[in-house]
């Protein structure tokens, strides 16, 4: 029986996938696996029983990845599950940033008691005129699941789209329209584009990537959309750029006291992936990944351990090992089985940075005694008997 804890409410369409072999528990410390959305895991002690955490969403800044890896806890996310929801809100707010729709609507509401409101509208509507997006240059920074959808969609709306992502995956490259121009550098995006939308994770290299120096490279009146992470933008610098006119509009999904109410800022209350469809898709993907890991030992979409897929075990036994990526680990594993006269007909070993993962199918049922011997090998972080 696998015990599952939800740190946040998770869509029932996902939870309903759990079979009779799963039990929902209220306490984090009792869980074998945890589902989380926005709650922070950083302050929590990881129990020995915990094997996996699944984030129903893409960002994992609320999860201590290194701490989890050291404890043999695989962290999953759900890339692409909420991509369409984010794509649609980017398109909507990009048009809003180009046309002063909010300003016009708010002004009309302020005149609602005036019996001559219709005449006032005709007299003052030019104050809220904007520009069309057709023919304008859009820079898309980050061509993952969301960035590719945004680039392709806005290209179909007749924008001239530049894409930049030095780490683009093969899968994303296949999905990217041939009409998207490949930018050779971020500087090219900054110099050329009238609109810039960013879709990258927060890392040491991306933190503060929008700052005083990069704004100076951009066109006057550039419009910037941030539906990724607030710390990609230095707030004080963009407020200064808005006041000077260097930046014409700043759309952010991350309101804070420094940008709320600033002229030229459109603050969205973190609605990027807040659609019922996105929440359902994330829940379904997160639950399926957890079940495949717990039942079969397979890893897909982990952010701290490598992808591994051995399918369903057809042998008498299967053991999964989370360990450090150091020399001589594999030979120690196989030697342990050889000493027990156990044959290994199939296995997989993958690494990701400092950590590695090995799954071995064996011709004898796995036993706690065998798992204990493997666990005693220096560098092993966790051993699970799958079968």
């Amino acid at each position: 029986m696998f015990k599952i804890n939800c740190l946040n409410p998770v869509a029932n369409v996902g939870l309903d996938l759990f079979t009779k072999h799963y039990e929902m528990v209220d306490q984090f410390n009792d869980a074998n696996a945890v589902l989380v959305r926005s709650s922070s895991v950083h302050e929590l002690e990881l129990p020995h029983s915990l094997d996996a955490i699944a984030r129903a969403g893409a960002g994992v800044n609320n999860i201590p990845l290194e701490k989890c890896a050291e404890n043999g806890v695989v962290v999953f996310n759900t890339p692409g599950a909420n991509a369409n929801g984010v794509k649609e809100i980017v398109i909507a707010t990009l048009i809003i940033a180009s046309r002063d729709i909010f300003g016009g609507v708010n002004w009309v509401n302020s005149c609602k008691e005036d019996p001559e409101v219709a005449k006032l509208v005709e007299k003052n509507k030019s104050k809220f005129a904007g520009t069309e997006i057709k023919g304008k240059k859009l820079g898309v920074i980050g061509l993952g699941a969301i960035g590719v959808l945004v680039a392709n969609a806005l290209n179909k709306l007749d924008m001239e789209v530049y894409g930049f992502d030095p780490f683009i995956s093969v899968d994303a490259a296949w999905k990217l329209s041939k009409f998207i121009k490949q930018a050779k550098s971020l500087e090219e995006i900054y110099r050329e584009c009238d609109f810039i939308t960013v879709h990258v994770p927060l890392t040491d290299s991306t933190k503060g990537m929008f700052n005083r120096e990069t704004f100076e490279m951009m066109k006057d009146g550039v419009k910037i959309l941030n539906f990724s992470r607030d710390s990609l933008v230095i707030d004080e610098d963009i407020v200064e750029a808005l006041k000077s006119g260097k930046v014409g509009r700043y759309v952010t999904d991350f309101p804070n006291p420094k940008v709320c109410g600033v002229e030229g800022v459109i603050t969205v209350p973190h609605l990027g992936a807040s659609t019922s469809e996105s929440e359902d898709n994330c829940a379904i993907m997160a639950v399926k990944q957890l079940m495949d890991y717990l039942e079969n030992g397979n890893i897909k979409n982990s952010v701290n351990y490598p992808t591994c897929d051995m399918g369903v075990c057809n042998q008498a036994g299967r053991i999964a090992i989370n360990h450090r990526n150091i020399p001589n680990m594999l030979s120690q594993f196989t030697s342990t089985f050889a000493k027990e006269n156990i044959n290994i007909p199939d296995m997989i070993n993958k690494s990701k940075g400092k950590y590695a993962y090995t799954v071995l199918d064996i011709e004898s049922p796995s036993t706690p005694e065998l798992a204990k011997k493997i666990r005693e090998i220096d560098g092993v972080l966790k051993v699970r008997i799958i079968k």
Side-chain angles (χ1 to χ4, degrees), residues 26-27 63 92 96 106 189 243 314 316-317 342 349:
D26 295 329
Q27 299 300 317
I63 302 171
I96 287 169
N106 291 336
I189 294 281
K243 289 178 179 177
N314 295 314
I342 297 174
N349 169 259

Side-chain angles (χ1 to χ4, degrees), residues 15-75:
L15 299 181
D16 289 345
L17 296 174
F18 285 124
T19 65
K20 62 182 180 180
H21 302 294
Y22 293 82
E23 175 189 359
M24 304 305 296
V25 295
D26 295 329
Q27 299 300 317
F28 178 84
N29 289 337
D30 296 334
N32 302 120
V34 168
L35 287 160
V36 62
R37 292 172 60 198
S38 58
S39 290
S40 176
V41 186
H42 288 279
E43 300 78 17
L44 301 177
E45 288 296 322
L46 303 180
H48 292 298
S49 62
L50 187 64
D51 296 323
I53 298 174
R55 161 80 164 94
V60 289
N61 297 91
N62 57 326
I63 302 171
L65 303 183
E66 182 76 12
K67 179 180 175 182
C68 286
E70 271 295 314
N71 284 271
V73 177
V74 176
V75 179

Side-chain angles (χ1 to χ4, degrees), residues 112-186:
K112 63 182 180 181
E113 303 298 334
D114 195 316
E116 299 296 321
V117 64
K119 291 181 179 179
L120 284 172
V121 165
E122 292 304 316
K123 182 179 179 181
N124 292 280
K125 65 181 182 181
S126 61
K127 296 178 181 178
F128 308 102
T131 60
E132 298 178 14
I133 65 171
K134 181 179 180 180
K136 302 299 188 300
K137 293 181 179 180
L138 168 69
V140 181
I141 300 173
L143 296 169
I146 296 170
V148 166
L149 290 182
V150 169
N152 290 347
L154 287 165
N155 174 254
K156 290 181 179 179
L157 290 178
D158 295 323
M159 296 193 81
E160 188 177 341
V161 180
Y162 291 72
F164 177 77
D165 190 337
F167 308 108
I168 187 171
S169 69
V170 174
D171 184 55
W174 275 108
K175 294 176 181 177
L176 191 66
S177 166
K178 64 180 180 180
F179 298 108
I180 307 304
K181 295 178 170 61
Q182 180 185 358
K184 299 297 189 294
S185 65
L186 281 173

Side-chain angles (χ1 to χ4, degrees), residues 94 98 133 136-139 159 193-197 222-223:
L94 186 142
S98 186
I133 65 171
K136 302 299 188 300
K137 293 181 179 180
L138 168 69
M159 296 193 81
C193 295
D194 307 293
F195 296 80
I196 298 174
T197 180
V222 64
K223 299 171 178 66

